[in-house]
Amino acid sequence: EWLQRWLNYLNAKPVLNEIDAEHYNDELFSALKCGDAEIEEFNSNAQNAAQRLISRFRRCTNIRGEDLLNRNQKLQHLFTADVFEFDANLPKLSDDEKTEYKALLKPSKSKSEEDTFITWINTTLSPTITVVSLLKDVSSGYVLLKLLDRSKPECVNWRQARKKIRHKFDKVNNCNMVMKLAEDEFRFSLVGMAGSDIVDMKEKLVHSLLSQMMRYYQTRQLSLVLFKNATTTKQDKKRRAAVTDEDILQWVNLKISECDEAQSKSLESFKDRVLSTCIFYIELLKAVRPNEVDLSRVNYDVKPLINAKVMDKQKALRMQNALYCMTMIRRFGGELFVSPHLLCIMEQKAVLAVLAAIMTISITDVKK
């Protein structure tokens, strides 16, 4: 929505104007002032116009000209986001404006983690539910029940749940249901946590619960591709097929050995420091889609990050590797809800999410 407003602002149009996929390239071409006497509008010569856009911003994006020509809205938005981050072409804030806006922003040590959870929830439950403020929006317990039900269909008894929250007791009822399901059905580790902690919006405890829910959802998506009986319901609890971390690690090490051009060696665990360069992920993608991944775009000079708290002198190159990896995964149809920064510092949710997404892409290709 904000990228759309930005394009409208640059084109001197009402910022709330809707831009559909068909006209998005035209608006983008006009906003970035790429037109001239030869090509006045994008659609007048779409092929050359797309190449002109990409060549102008090739330093900041991994999107290709054909991605824009295909009118893939996700890739259009991704290209726009890359350009916005590179050069938003907006006037700088004055000192007074900076002070005013800073006072409106709520400081948060775990903002990137919170954004990851919000993106995951909104993608998973869209369009029926939208989360804006994480702790506040999940405190009723209803959103969490929806996530649990999506992860394991029919596990929630909706007759006992309260959709319309009238008072705090309705919240407690829902959150107690969440805790019981999390411990009995999903076997999550929630020592010292109660339903009231969700209602009271205790950040660390809520994040711990969401981390385990997100991890379960990601591995279950992979299980759905691998095993037909992964969709376990109340009527069929006897056989359960689930992909474990050991399964993913074993597959990853076997797959990377299939890539002759790969310089990476087998992983000992998901905490192997070599993952901080993000080179391993790209070479793994090369093994999965040999003809579509370009290893010449990899920054092989990046060294493993020994300590995430120390200043990283190769941060820019490391981020380029992470961005290229994540762009290719999304282009191949994989689901990702993590930020490049979390991948670079080897946050365990990000590592598992990327490896599970690549494995899902590979197995889906084999089954086609």
Side-chain angles (χ1 to χ4, degrees):
E1 183 182 342
W2 288 105
L3 293 174
Q4 183 173 272
R5 292 186 181 189
W6 176 59
L7 292 180
N8 284 328
Y9 170 79
L10 294 180
N11 287 326
K13 295 182 178 181
V15 293
L16 296 179
N17 273 11
E18 290 288 333
I19 306 176
D20 57 30
E22 191 169 340
H23 297 96
Y24 198 93
N25 290 334
D26 274 330
E27 297 294 332
L28 185 62
F29 192 77
S30 173
L32 299 178
K33 295 179 171 57
C34 293
D36 56 18
E38 182 184 348
I39 308 176
E40 295 182 2
E41 296 181 351
F42 187 90
N43 286 333
S44 61
N45 191 335
Q47 189 80 30
N48 290 341
Q51 290 305 320
R52 183 177 294 185
L53 276 171
I54 297 302
S55 60
R56 180 175 169 184
F57 297 100
R58 67 158 58 95
R59 287 191 300 163
C60 67
T61 186
N62 292 313
I63 300 299
R64 298 179 296 191
E66 52 263 37
D67 297 326
L68 296 178
L69 292 173
N70 291 335
R71 291 191 174 88
N72 184 317
Q73 200 155 24
K74 288 185 178 180
L75 294 178
Q76 287 175 331
H77 290 166
L78 182 58
F79 176 72
T80 309
D82 289 338
V83 174
F84 180 86
E85 188 175 0
F86 178 71
D87 181 14
N89 196 25
L90 295 174
K92 292 185 177 181
L93 296 175
S94 65
D95 291 337
D96 291 339
E97 287 174 327
K98 287 181 180 178
T99 305
E100 181 182 351
Y101 289 126
K102 191 174 181 180
L104 297 173
L105 296 174
K106 181 183 177 182
S108 175
K109 294 181 181 179
S110 54
K111 183 64 178 172
S112 58
E113 186 178 30
E114 187 170 304
D115 289 342
T116 299
F117 289 137
I118 290 174
T119 304
W120 170 58
I121 294 170
N122 288 339
T123 304
T124 305
L125 301 182
S126 176
T128 55
I129 291 176
T130 302
V131 170
V132 179
S133 175
L134 182 67
L135 295 177
K136 182 180 177 182
D137 290 346
V138 304
S139 65
S140 69
Y142 184 77
V143 173
L144 297 177
L145 287 173
K146 279 285 188 182
L147 287 171
L148 291 173
D149 191 63
R150 182 63 61 89
S151 298
K152 187 181 287 188
E154 300 180 24
C155 72
V156 178
N157 184 351
W158 291 108
R159 291 182 179 181
Q160 296 179 5
R162 302 286 186 271
K163 183 176 181 179
K164 293 184 179 180
I165 305 300
R166 296 165 296 177
H167 41 66
K168 185 176 180 179
F169 295 108
D170 286 342
K171 290 185 176 184
V172 173
N173 173 77
N174 287 347
C175 292
N176 284 339
M177 285 181 65
V178 169
M179 292 301 298
K180 183 170 178 57
L181 286 169
E183 292 174 341
D184 296 347
E185 288 282 337
F186 294 83
R187 304 295 179 185
F188 293 161
S189 177
L190 300 168
V191 180
M193 182 176 177
S196 57
D197 294 323
I198 303 173
V199 177
D200 295 338
M201 298 187 288
K202 294 185 179 179
E203 185 178 50
K204 287 186 177 180
L205 296 175
V206 174
H207 282 195
S208 174
L209 172 62
L210 285 170
S211 294
Q212 295 181 67
M213 291 173 67
M214 186 173 168
R215 185 187 186 90
Y216 182 92
Y217 180 83
Q218 288 165 342
T219 53
R220 180 181 175 278
Q221 292 300 103
L222 186 52
S223 299
L224 287 172
V225 178
L226 280 171
F227 309 111
K228 291 181 180 179
N229 64 333
T231 54
T232 309
T233 62
K234 288 182 179 179
Q235 289 75 29
D236 181 22
K237 289 185 178 180
K238 293 181 180 179
R239 291 192 65 190
R240 295 186 182 185
V243 176
T244 64
D245 291 1
E246 290 74 19
D247 295 330
I248 297 174
L249 184 63
Q250 184 180 19
W251 178 87
V252 161
N253 287 334
L254 286 172
K255 199 68 183 178
I256 197 71
S257 65
E258 296 177 10
C259 182
D260 296 331
E261 302 172 58
Q263 299 181 17
S264 302
K265 298 180 181 179
S266 298
L267 298 178
E268 294 182 3
S269 70
F270 292 150
K271 294 183 180 180
D272 198 318
R273 300 309 303 179
V274 73
L275 290 174
S276 64
T277 65
C278 298
I279 296 171
F280 184 91
Y281 306 119
I282 302 173
E283 291 183 338
L284 186 61
L285 280 168
K286 179 71 173 178
V288 173
R289 296 277 184 95
N291 300 324
E292 299 182 53
V293 178
D294 183 8
L295 291 184
S296 66
R297 305 192 67 171
V298 180
N299 297 306
Y300 277 102
D301 296 334
V302 179
K303 303 298 181 186
L305 192 62
I306 305 302
N307 189 344
K309 295 182 180 179
V310 178
M311 186 179 72
D312 184 10
K313 294 180 180 179
Q314 296 182 307
K315 183 177 179 180
L317 297 176
R318 198 181 307 277
M319 286 291 286
Q320 284 178 14
N321 284 346
L323 285 168
Y324 181 59
C325 160
M326 296 176 71
T327 300
M328 298 308 292
I329 289 174
R330 290 190 173 110
R331 181 178 291 159
F332 299 154
E335 286 187 345
L336 275 184
F337 313 103
V338 296
S339 67
H341 170 69
L342 292 178
L343 193 59
C344 290
I345 64 172
M346 287 180 56
E347 209 283 330
Q348 287 302 292
K349 286 191 298 297
V351 172
L352 179 68
V354 169
L355 293 177
I358 296 174
M359 187 175 176
T360 304
I361 292 167
S362 176
I363 295 168
T364 304
D365 288 348
V366 171
K367 293 201 171 188
K368 281 182 180 178

